[in-house]
Amino acid sequence: MDAREGLWMSIKADFTQGFARNHWYAAAWAAEIGEHPFARQILGEPVVLFRLPGGGVAALEDRCPHRLAPLSMGECADGGLRCGYHGMVFDGQGQCIGIPGQDVIPPTARARAFPVAERYGLIWLWVGDGPADEGRLPRIRGHGEQGWAVLDQGYQHHRANYRIEIENLMDPAHTTFLHKETIGNQAARNIPVQVAQSDYGLKAYRWIENVPPTPLDQKSRDFGDSRVDRQVAFHFELPATSFVDIAVIPAGMERTDENLMNGGLRTFSYKFLTPETHRSTHFFWLHLRNYRQADTHFDAGLRASLEKTFQEDNVMASAIQIEQERTGLRQRTGIAIDRAPVMALRMIDRMISQEAAVSGVRQDA
Ligand code: FES
Ligand SMILES: [Fe+2]
């Protein structure tokens, strides 16, 4: 035995932990669902999304009840989704409404249907058996309100378990090092991260005070000779929503809600994480800002910069995923910045065990 073993801490990486199912998860951008069926694996379930004749979106298990052919290999036809193997047709509820060559439809000719909701340009899917309550859809601040520019349609496929992604998103300290060329801020490197409960769940935040505005800040709003205070707050909301709230105001300005909203620059950067499998995550992103609203050139540059930043996270998270699988460990030491990620993971664990207690079974997927 290694003499130092007693000094090592080790937290196991457990990829058998289930997913919380009785929640809305982002499944696709509405614009992705066109005239052809669209396949996506959500929480380990193969799902096919498709347009109904009236234009709405429906979601079914991506398996025909006949021979389990993926329904996504079929087409939108005959008033529903037609299987590409023998032509059985299913409506948005998964009920078979036609079988070529026979009139009788057996009662077993059904595919599982998932409740869907469309909001903020996203299709949300309810995977669990509990009642799908649209009141529980995430709320996006500023969306649809005057004065806000929205960048949407953001999607990346990340090759890591969603818990690794959430640890990353509750960790403002990594930005200085991992995102040197994009959002990293050297002025922040030694400023401790505070953690607090927020209206949305949990936030990890810090104020970077009395620093010169960045060139980008200065281009977005004239701060004159003033220095600025910058708030960066990383919020986590169950089951898997993150948003980063950035406020830049003249240094020393009182931090009232009004000043934070209108005294300088305000940004909300949302990510909706949807587990695909235990080792991969759908990473949907949407970005709002209350400055340079009608500047399409700025939009394009910002989109490219965000895509690059999130890919940097993906590269790191997927490398960590590989090491966790190789070792069976999540970490071997702890530091102060772990506090918010650990709290967020505990919130997830509690949510999963509460759900399991209600359903009486462990929700593995
Ligand atoms: S497998 Fe779908 S109709 Fe036969
Ligand atoms: Fe990051």
Side-chain angles (χ1 to χ4, degrees):
M1 175 175 146
D2 189 309
R4 294 166 303 168
E5 199 162 296
L7 296 176
W8 292 2
M9 98 185 225
S10 59
I11 300 176
K12 298 241 180 317
D14 182 357
F15 297 111
T16 66
Q17 287 159 309
F19 305 120
R21 297 177 159 265
N22 285 315
H23 295 273
W24 293 104
Y25 286 93
W29 288 102
E32 291 183 286
I33 316 302
E35 56 185 301
H36 301 292
F38 181 89
R40 189 160 268 164
Q41 197 176 163
I42 310 277
L43 275 62
E45 307 267 2
V47 175
V48 56
L49 296 142
F50 65 102
R51 292 252 169 224
L52 297 164
V57 172
L60 303 180
E61 177 186 23
D62 193 11
R63 286 186 196 105
C64 178
H66 179 219
R67 295 270 178 79
L68 311 191
L71 289 169
S72 54
M73 293 172 73
E75 56 195 313
C76 299
D78 301 334
L81 178 56
R82 189 170 68 199
C83 179
Y85 204 9
H86 311 101
M88 287 172 71
V89 181
F90 301 89
D91 69 11
Q93 301 305 310
Q95 175 62 49
C96 179
I97 53 173
I99 304 177
Q102 70 180 67
D103 295 328
V104 177
I105 294 180
T108 48
R110 290 189 65 85
R112 181 182 174 199
F114 298 94
V116 290
E118 187 166 344
R119 190 166 300 173
Y120 306 123
L122 280 159
I123 305 296
W124 302 86
L125 191 84
W126 185 276
V127 185
D129 298 321
D133 174 2
E134 292 200 13
R136 290 179 52 198
L137 282 163
R139 190 175 74 80
I140 299 183
R141 298 171 78 186
H143 197 283
E145 292 171 21
Q146 255 208 332
W148 290 89
V150 179
L151 277 188
D152 59 13
Q153 310 301 319
Y155 173 83
Q156 292 185 352
H157 182 259
H158 284 196
R159 299 173 303 279
N161 182 283
Y162 74 110
R163 289 167 187 259
I164 298 175
E165 300 274 325
I166 286 166
E167 286 178 314
N168 169 280
L169 290 166
M170 286 311 287
D171 165 17
H174 81 271
T175 55
T176 311
F177 305 97
L178 185 58
H179 305 305
K180 280 193 205 79
E181 291 166 24
T182 48
I183 57 167
N185 188 335
Q186 291 302 322
R189 64 183 289 157
N190 284 319
I191 301 176
V193 175
Q194 316 281 318
V195 182
Q197 300 294 327
S198 75
D199 295 347
Y200 304 93
L202 187 66
K203 72 171 175 177
Y205 68 103
R206 57 187 172 184
W207 276 95
I208 304 155
E209 295 176 324
N210 199 26
V211 288
T214 64
L216 200 58
D217 295 339
Q218 215 38 297
K219 262 200 252 169
S220 302
R221 181 176 178 123
D222 184 7
F223 286 97
D225 295 332
S226 168
R227 292 164 79 87
V228 295
D229 292 339
R230 176 188 303 273
Q231 175 207 240
V232 183
F234 284 44
H235 291 258
F236 172 66
E237 191 178 13
L238 289 170
T241 298
S242 147
F243 76 93
V244 180
D245 173 359
I246 301 169
V248 183
I249 53 175
M253 179 183 258
E254 199 185 345
R255 292 167 189 171
T256 59
D257 286 350
E258 165 62 22
N259 284 346
L260 291 179
M261 199 56 98
N262 297 314
L265 307 170
R266 193 74 180 265
T267 298
F268 299 128
S269 176
Y270 279 85
K271 289 100 192 172
F272 303 105
L273 304 176
T274 302
E276 179 187 49
T277 67
H278 284 293
R279 47 166 63 115
S280 56
T281 302
H282 302 294
F283 182 101
F284 293 90
W285 66 262
L286 182 150
H287 184 280
L288 298 100
R289 66 179 193 274
N290 70 352
Y291 51 92
R292 298 177 77 162
Q293 291 92 336
D295 185 340
T296 50
H297 183 68
F298 184 72
D299 281 350
L302 181 59
R303 183 179 290 279
S305 164
L306 291 168
E307 285 286 351
K308 181 172 190 298
T309 304
F310 302 149
Q311 275 307 342
E312 288 168 346
D313 288 314
N314 182 23
V315 167
M316 182 59 83
S318 56
I320 289 170
Q321 174 74 32
I322 290 168
E323 290 310 314
Q324 289 195 356
E325 287 186 36
R326 214 193 305 260
T327 59
L329 296 176
R330 192 159 69 75
Q331 61 187 83
R332 289 203 307 220
T333 191
I335 60 175
I337 58 125
D338 294 338
R339 197 161 155 236
V342 165
M343 287 170 78
L345 295 189
R346 283 202 191 124
M347 285 165 67
I348 292 175
D349 288 340
R350 270 198 301 276
M351 172 181 68
I352 291 174
S353 41
Q354 277 163 7
E355 200 171 273
V358 170
S359 68
V361 290
R362 190 166 169 186
Q363 300 279 301
D364 282 345

